[in-house]
Amino acid sequence: MRKAGMLMVTALAASLLAGCGYKASDKKEEVTITVFAAKSLNQVMEELIAEFQKTHENVNVQGSYDSSGTLMVQIEEGADCDVFFSAAVKQMNQLDETDGLVVEGTRHNVVNNQVCVVTYKESNTKVTGLKDIKNAGSIALADGSVPVGKYTRQAMVNAGMLEKADDVSKISTTDISEALGGVEINECANVGVVTSAVAEGSNEVGTVYYSDTYGLEDRLEILEKIPYDLTGDVIYPVAQIQNSEADEAEATTAKEFVDFLITDDAKEIFQKYYFDTDVED
């Protein structure tokens, strides 16, 4: 009888807890969420995740990094993703307005970045910036589906280096090479590949984000920070993603992580990695 009574008490307690609601941090077992983030966020996100987990001891945040376009397609195809942090609004708009995969009320503009023309230290390049980038022996350039590649193409169009296009992301690497006099271009899958190609000296110059130069100051030289009147703002939006596989604790944790990214503590970390946090949400 005593054993049966204990079982009844346990069942009643579980029922009461289920009915009262809870925070993800109240759950004893580990809660895992997956964050898809633009490759240019790799370094700062690892510090942000570590900071978040200090106050969420039972939470495991898994970061997955690639170009925003690649991550967007993976989400559309049903990848297990709880939070998406894009390097451009285009991919977020697709998931939000077209696909309906963004959780309502969780989307925020978090930071602004800036596209830079870079070279490796002591390259002795003749290039001074975007307008004479054709003078390089070779260029590392992200393809048009990658935000930094699209921003670079937009800057070249606005600078009169490329012909106008309805969708600049469709301008091919071959078209750019021809417009620049046949210069060799290494088409890269994401901005991390561009950064590595230049830092290692495989290509003379490339276009990356200002934040990508963090920690590589002894290997990369910034030739020009391309002005916003050529690229437009480089806004990074974040949002919680509809994940049918997530339970209540995981969904709650995902929302908590998104909220953390717009706090003053998070802004201080972003600024350390050369991101501009003065953006309109």
Side-chain angles (χ1 to χ4, degrees):
M1 290 290 292
R2 182 176 181 181
K3 184 176 181 180
M6 289 294 292
L7 287 172
M8 290 180 64
V9 170
T10 302
L12 178 60
S15 176
L16 288 172
L17 285 172
C20 293
Y22 60 93
K23 291 184 178 179
S25 55
D26 293 333
K27 195 175 180 181
K28 297 296 184 182
E29 61 267 28
E30 185 176 82
V31 176
T32 298
I33 63 169
T34 302
V35 178
F36 279 15
K39 185 64 177 178
S40 53
L41 290 163
N42 198 155
Q43 292 188 86
V44 67
M45 282 299 291
E46 288 303 302
E47 182 167 341
L48 287 163
I49 287 170
E51 189 66 23
F52 178 76
Q53 289 179 158
K54 287 179 181 178
T55 54
H56 296 72
E57 295 180 358
N58 64 313
V59 169
N60 178 28
V61 181
Q62 295 288 334
S64 180
Y65 308 100
D66 208 326
S67 75
S68 300
T70 298
L71 296 173
M72 178 197 73
V73 171
Q74 290 175 358
I75 293 170
E76 290 179 319
E77 292 178 347
D80 183 11
C81 173
D82 299 291
V83 175
F84 179 47
F85 201 166
S86 176
V89 297
K90 177 182 177 180
Q91 288 76 16
M92 187 65 78
N93 285 346
Q94 173 71 24
L95 294 178
D96 186 5
E97 300 166 9
T98 303
D99 300 330
L101 292 174
V102 168
V103 176
E104 186 177 355
T106 66
R107 179 174 173 174
H108 304 278
N109 291 333
V110 184
V111 293
N112 197 358
N113 214 335
Q114 191 162 12
V115 180
C116 298
V117 180
V118 297
T119 189
Y120 57 91
K121 288 290 186 179
E122 300 180 358
S123 68
N124 296 317
T125 183
K126 295 179 181 178
V127 176
T128 61
L130 185 68
K131 289 190 175 182
D132 62 357
I133 199 169
K134 66 180 181 180
N135 294 330
S138 64
I139 302 171
L141 180 66
D143 73 57
S145 69
V146 181
V148 73
K150 181 182 178 183
Y151 286 123
T152 300
R153 286 162 170 77
Q154 186 65 65
M156 287 180 172
V157 168
N158 290 338
M161 300 165 64
L162 295 175
E163 293 185 5
K164 291 183 178 180
D166 292 334
D167 183 355
V168 296
S169 67
K170 303 299 184 183
I171 300 174
S172 71
T173 300
T174 300
D175 290 339
I176 297 172
S177 176
E178 290 177 355
L180 298 180
V183 62
E184 177 189 338
I185 297 180
N186 172 21
E187 182 176 280
C188 301
N190 58 58
V191 71
V193 178
V194 177
T195 305
S196 296
V198 179
E200 294 167 1
S202 299
N203 295 112
E204 188 174 317
V205 301
T207 57
V208 301
Y209 295 120
Y210 183 32
S211 62
D212 293 306
T213 67
Y214 177 84
L216 293 173
E217 294 83 358
D218 60 336
R219 298 176 63 188
L220 289 178
E221 177 185 349
I222 297 174
L223 299 172
E224 181 191 18
K225 292 181 181 178
I226 302 175
Y228 290 122
D229 61 1
L230 292 181
T231 62
D233 285 334
V234 185
I235 301 296
Y236 283 53
V238 71
Q240 183 181 355
I241 297 299
Q242 301 277 4
N243 185 354
S244 60
E245 300 299 319
D247 62 22
E248 184 179 352
E250 291 162 346
T252 300
T253 302
K255 175 64 164 57
E256 290 174 356
F257 185 70
V258 169
D259 291 342
F260 164 71
L261 293 176
I262 58 175
T263 63
D264 288 340
D265 288 343
K267 286 181 179 180
E268 288 185 12
I269 295 173
F270 279 118
Q271 290 164 2
K272 186 173 76 173
Y273 288 83
Y274 305 157
F275 287 95
D276 179 6
T277 58
D278 185 17
V279 296
E280 291 186 11
D281 194 359

